[in-house]
Amino acid sequence: METKSNKFIAVTYELYTVDGEERHLVEKAPADKPFYFISGFGVAIDEFEKAVIDLAKGDSFDFTLTKEQAYGEYEEERVLTLDKSMFEVDGHFDKEHLFAGAVIPLQNEEGQRFMGTVVEIQDAAVVIDLNHPLAGHDLNFKGSVIESREATSEEIQSLIMHLSGHGCEGGCSGCGGSCDNKEEGCCHCN
């Protein structure tokens, strides 16, 4: 994706899944907890970034991304049945963290990290869905831009630290927004 600069963009929005004529509100980013990102780093969906990057502070938006532009088709082959022993801590199944609906961090043999949703706990296995929760849906975003400016070098450095897993005690993917880092530019930590 080609960007003019690394812009700090903050938006409020309501996100709806669109399935034919049906729309369902699935997420809100209100003014007191806006979604913000720095363009060009792959933090936001590419097509979302393209739709808001040239908007100015105060501009409103209402656009729909197709599932192909968002998180792709829902793929049944991304639902895996894994041996329950893979989820043991000190020889015991981790009941505290693994339950239907839990979103858990996983790592493959190559060391790549990703998130999965626990679908079901069976007698000898755990069923994990690796699809993004919004896969298979067109997405409608309605909101407004509350900040759009050149990112500072400190904000860019902070983001790089988070994306590399340094900061927020293991990276933003691990903090879930509960860390004490309140710096501007922290991807989920405000």
Side-chain angles (χ1 to χ4, degrees):
M1 176 189 227
E2 192 176 312
T3 59
K4 298 172 185 127
S5 63
N6 295 122
K7 290 179 76 173
F8 179 92
I9 300 170
V11 298
T12 63
Y13 66 76
E14 291 183 347
L15 169 59
Y16 297 86
T17 56
V18 181
D19 297 304
E21 295 297 313
E22 290 191 37
R23 292 170 20 104
H24 299 282
L25 178 65
V26 293
E27 183 177 282
K28 285 185 180 185
D32 63 334
K33 291 193 182 231
F35 171 64
Y36 56 94
F37 63 97
I38 297 174
S39 64
F41 282 90
V43 173
I45 300 169
D46 285 349
E47 295 299 323
F48 177 90
E49 187 171 315
K50 286 178 186 175
V52 300
I53 196 162
D54 291 326
L55 298 178
K57 182 176 180 176
D59 286 352
S60 295
F61 56 84
D62 181 351
F63 60 87
T64 300
L65 302 180
T66 66
K67 56 189 156 196
E68 293 78 19
Q69 293 172 313
Y71 296 105
E73 292 286 349
Y74 185 88
E75 300 176 19
E76 286 296 333
E77 58 271 12
R78 293 187 51 106
V79 179
L80 307 176
T81 302
L82 304 173
D83 192 286
K84 206 171 183 179
S85 66
M86 293 175 65
F87 302 97
E88 290 182 356
V89 176
D90 297 326
H92 300 286
F93 180 72
D94 186 4
K95 288 188 243 182
E96 182 182 345
H97 298 103
L98 278 97
F99 50 87
V103 177
I104 60 170
L106 299 166
Q107 183 173 328
N108 66 16
E109 293 172 356
E110 290 81 42
Q112 296 170 314
R113 296 172 187 242
F114 47 92
M115 304 301 281
T117 303
V118 177
V119 176
E120 179 184 5
I121 308 290
Q122 300 174 344
D123 289 338
V126 177
V127 180
I128 304 283
D129 187 347
L130 300 180
N131 287 288
H132 188 280
L134 296 174
H137 297 282
D138 292 344
L139 304 179
N140 175 237
F141 292 88
K142 289 185 177 190
S144 63
V145 177
I146 60 173
E147 189 71 56
S148 182
R149 59 172 169 74
E150 193 74 25
T152 66
S153 58
E154 292 82 16
E155 289 165 339
I156 293 170
Q157 184 61 38
S158 178
L159 177 60
I160 291 169
M161 292 294 289
H162 290 293
L163 293 175
S164 67
H166 299 75
C168 280
E169 297 186 26
C172 278
S173 62
C175 78
S178 61
C179 73
D180 292 324
N181 186 347
K182 303 299 182 203
E183 293 178 41
E184 282 221 359
C186 182
C187 49
H188 297 289
C189 302
N190 283 337

